[in-house]
């Protein structure tokens, strides 16, 4: 199991290290690249995935569970931030929006087989939609909130994809392939950008990363306990929720933190150390998922 987890995580860390080397060597300005990625490549990834994904009412319980898994940790962090003098715009989103794409989808496939692919993408969908609505509303200021959400290419892509999916509209195949081509570049560019950003971070960021990881596990465990008690799910979906609720922060948290000036360096530490520590946390969570559910 450990070898399987390492085989999934190694490509992620290899690309981050490559970005770190690029940052040290060339010192590029990643701002325009990040803007292109989040406004073009990621929306193409969302549309090309969601427009062809099988959807049905039988997945309603899983959708509700995913919403709880995303929003409940944010509510907990909102209370904790008040008492511990922690800026919620920096700490909250990292506990809510987890690595449900480039880590969770292959992990669920390896751990639970091909039948887990559709539920994994559904969990990713819920996280993306909430990230582009609730997440951006938390990061943007009051005057920007409503209009910035409506104009977000990610949200537009998600809405168009769901419309195409439910209406059973066939996208012109060359156009779909072009979107797949652009979408496939999104995650590597995210990881390269994260590596470049880490060149400006001191090892003092390890403390933030460790604390964020502990908070992520704690808030995720509370969310999972709530789901287990109140939302009936088949055993395979319940095993998936063990992992989904306690995944590390998504790389997109860093991109949005940089875009909205919400502690990008701190968020980068949370993302890096959170994903690095999955070498320890994921085997333990997989053992719990298979032994207890």
């Amino acid at each position: 199991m450990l070898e399987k987890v390492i085989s999934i995580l190694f490509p992620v860390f290899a690309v981050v290290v490559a970005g770190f080397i690029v940052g040290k060597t060339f010192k590029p300005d990643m701002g325009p690249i990040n803007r292109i990625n989040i406004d073009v490549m990621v929306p193409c990834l969302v549309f090309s995935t969601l427009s062809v994904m099988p959807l049905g009412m039988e997945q309603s319980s899983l959708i509700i569970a995913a919403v709880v898994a995303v929003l409940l940790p944010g509510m907990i962090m909102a209370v904790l931030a008040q008492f511990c003098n922690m800026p919620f715009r920096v700490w909250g989103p990292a506990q809510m929006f987890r690595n449900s794409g480039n880590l969770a989808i292959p992990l669920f496939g390896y751990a639970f087989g091909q039948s887990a692919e559709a539920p994994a993408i559904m969990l990713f969908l819920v996280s993306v939609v909430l990230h582009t609505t609730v997440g951006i509303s938390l990061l943007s200021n009051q005057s920007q909130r409503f209009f910035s959400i409506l104009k977000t290419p990610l949200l537009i892509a998600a809405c168009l994809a769901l419309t195409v999916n439910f209406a059973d509209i066939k996208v012109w195949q060359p156009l779909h392939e072009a979107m797949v081509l652009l979408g496939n570049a999104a995650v590597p560019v995210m990881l390269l950008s994260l590596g470049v950003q880490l060149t400006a971070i001191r090892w003092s960021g390890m403390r933030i990363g460790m604390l964020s990881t502990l908070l992520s596990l704690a808030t995720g465990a509370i969310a999972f306990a709530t789901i287990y008690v109140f939302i009936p799910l088949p055993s395979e979906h319940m095993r998936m929720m063990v992992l989904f609720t306690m995944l590390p922060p998504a790389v997109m948290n860093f991109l949005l933190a940089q875009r909205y000036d919400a502690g990008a360096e701190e968020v980068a530490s949370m993302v890096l150390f959170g994903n690095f520590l999955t070498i320890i946390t994921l085997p333990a969570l997989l053992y719990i998922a298979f032994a207890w559910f």
Side-chain angles (χ1 to χ4, degrees), residues 9 22 24 27 112 118 126 134 141 145 189 201 205 252 264 281:
L9 294 179
V22 168
K24 282 290 188 183
K27 297 179 174 56
F112 306 117
V126 173
V134 177
N141 63 45
R145 240 171 235 184
V189 172
I201 294 176
M252 198 182 301
T281 59

Side-chain angles (χ1 to χ4, degrees), residues 157-170:
C159 292
L160 286 175
L162 290 174
T163 301
V164 167
N165 194 315
F166 283 119
D168 197 23
I169 299 171
K170 301 299 181 184

Side-chain angles (χ1 to χ4, degrees), residues 34-52:
N34 288 341
R35 184 65 182 264
I36 292 170
N37 191 26
I38 204 166
D39 285 347
V40 179
M41 298 177 187
V42 176
C44 285
L45 174 65
V46 170
F47 184 88
S48 61
T49 302
L50 302 186
S51 61
V52 297

Side-chain angles (χ1 to χ4, degrees), residues 193-273:
S193 178
L194 177 61
V196 172
Q197 180 68 19
L198 290 173
T199 59
I201 294 176
R202 300 175 181 176
W203 278 103
S204 57
M206 181 183 294
R207 177 180 172 275
I208 292 175
M210 295 287 288
L211 178 57
S212 174
T213 299
L214 292 175
L215 286 171
S216 180
L217 292 172
T219 58
I222 294 171
F224 175 75
T226 303
I227 292 167
Y228 181 75
V229 171
F230 294 105
I231 303 175
L233 291 173
S235 58
E236 182 184 79
H237 288 178
M238 194 64 75
R239 292 190 190 106
M240 294 175 69
M241 294 309 300
V242 172
L243 299 172
F244 182 76
T245 54
M246 287 175 268
L247 286 167
V251 178
M252 198 182 301
N253 285 304
F254 157 68
L255 295 182
L256 292 176
Q258 186 179 58
R259 181 167 181 176
Y260 291 100
D261 192 24
E265 289 191 5
E266 292 90 341
V267 175
S269 295
M270 297 176 195
V271 172
L272 175 71
F273 289 106

